[in-house]
Amino acid sequence: QVRLVESGGGSAQAGGTLRLSCAISGYRFSSYYWAWFRQREGKEREGVAAIDTDGTTTYTDSVKGRFTISQDNAKTTLYLQMNDLKPDDTAVYYCAAEPDVAYVRRWIRKGSWDPQLFDVWGQGTQVTVSS
C-alpha cells in the first residue's frame, strides 16, 4: 500500500511562506493522481491543489496565484509551496493519492474536490497563520 507522510507545517505570519512536503513510498500502481486538501477547524475537508500524471495542475479559487503544487522527478515527494499566506489558510493540510487517474481527472476538471475521490491519505500537518 502506498504510504504518505506530510511535513513542513508550522506557524507563519500573514504574507509569509511555508513549503509542505509529502514523502511517498510503497507504490502499488504505476501512476496516481495527487492532491493537497485542508481541513479548517469546524469545517469539512476541502481540496486545495491537484496534479495530474502529465503535470497539469488545478487549484481551488482561494489559493490560485499563491500556492503551487509540484512533484520531484523521481515522484518520491509531493510539494505545496504556499506564498502570501492568510489567516484563513490556517488548517490541517493532507496529501492524497488515487490510482484511478481517469476517474479523478473527470471530477477535478468539473470542479469537484470530493475527498472520497481519493483512496490514500497522509496523517496531516498543521499550518497556522497569524495576522
Side-chain angles (χ1 to χ4, degrees), residues 15-123:
T17 64
L18 283 172
R19 190 191 199 199
L20 305 184
S21 299
C22 174
I24 306 161
S25 61
Y27 274 86
R28 281 190 62 199
F29 299 94
S30 60
S31 60
Y32 290 81
Y33 205 105
W34 303 97
W36 286 97
F37 282 74
R38 67 185 179 189
Q39 190 161 14
R40 292 179 272 198
E41 192 170 347
K43 300 288 183 65
E44 292 184 352
R45 195 168 297 189
E46 60 178 353
V48 173
I51 185 165
D52 204 334
T53 54
D54 64 355
T56 301
T57 56
T58 307
Y59 300 92
T60 194
D61 287 345
S62 63
V63 307
K64 281 181 182 175
R66 300 190 299 122
F67 290 12
T68 303
I69 186 172
S70 63
Q71 197 169 31
D72 67 337
N73 289 337
K75 297 193 187 304
T76 59
T77 309
L78 184 72
Y79 300 101
L80 185 67
Q81 178 68 42
M82 304 187 294
N83 299 331
D84 190 21
L85 283 162
K86 304 178 187 302
D88 205 37
D89 294 321
T90 295
V92 178
Y93 283 73
Y94 300 87
C95 58
E98 173 54 44
D100 193 341
V101 172
Y103 176 72
V104 175
R105 181 184 294 133
R106 281 200 301 272
W107 286 102
I108 294 291
R109 287 183 178 177
K110 292 179 181 179
S112 172
W113 291 89
D114 187 349
Q116 294 188 25
L117 292 171
F118 291 83
D119 191 46
V120 185
W121 293 86
Q123 83 288 351

